Amino acid sequence: MPVARAATLDPTAPATPLFDLPYMPVEKRALPAGRPREWYVAHNRRLKAMRLAIVLLDAGVWRPEQASDRTIRRAAERVGIHEPSPVTCHMVRALMRYSR
């Protein structure tokens, strides 16, 4: 089981398992101002696709060909994410494909 030491690299710090740490969502920050609207749309679409890919992987959908648009949309509904567009569904499959 991999362990990590405190950020100070103190050898006497207690070891903590890397994968047993409780999940804490990161604090939301405002996106940088001054970019074109298309950048914000693409950024939010990538975040949504990543969240959906994680949900599918957790649900046992390991291969992109198992993730039809219908499967992705059902997963989104189950976890409370707005219904993804066909472009976002394509991105989810691409993420699953390239993570291998």
Side-chain angles (χ1 to χ4, degrees):
M1 174 157 84
V3 293
R5 300 277 177 198
T8 61
L9 298 176
D10 180 9
T12 60
T16 336
L18 290 176
F19 50 82
D20 285 339
L21 295 174
Y23 170 74
M24 292 296 296
V26 294
E27 184 178 326
K28 289 188 178 184
R29 295 182 298 168
L31 292 174
R35 305 225 179 177
R37 185 179 194 292
E38 295 79 28
W39 184 89
Y40 298 104
V41 170
H43 175 76
N44 289 330
R45 181 170 285 157
R46 282 190 300 270
L47 292 177
K48 185 177 198 174
M50 283 190 286
R51 285 194 306 269
L52 287 169
I54 291 167
V55 167
L56 289 169
L57 290 170
D58 287 345
V61 178
W62 298 98
R63 301 174 57 93
E65 55 272 5
Q66 295 173 316
S68 65
D69 285 1
R70 185 176 178 197
T71 304
I72 295 169
R73 289 187 176 117
R74 274 196 314 242
E77 182 181 337
R78 194 171 37 233
V79 295
I81 298 174
H82 286 231
E83 183 177 323
S85 69
V87 174
T88 304
C89 292
H90 179 76
M91 273 183 143
V92 170
R93 285 188 290 276
L95 283 170
M96 293 174 77
R97 184 174 303 114
Y98 295 123
S99 67
R100 304 180 131 261

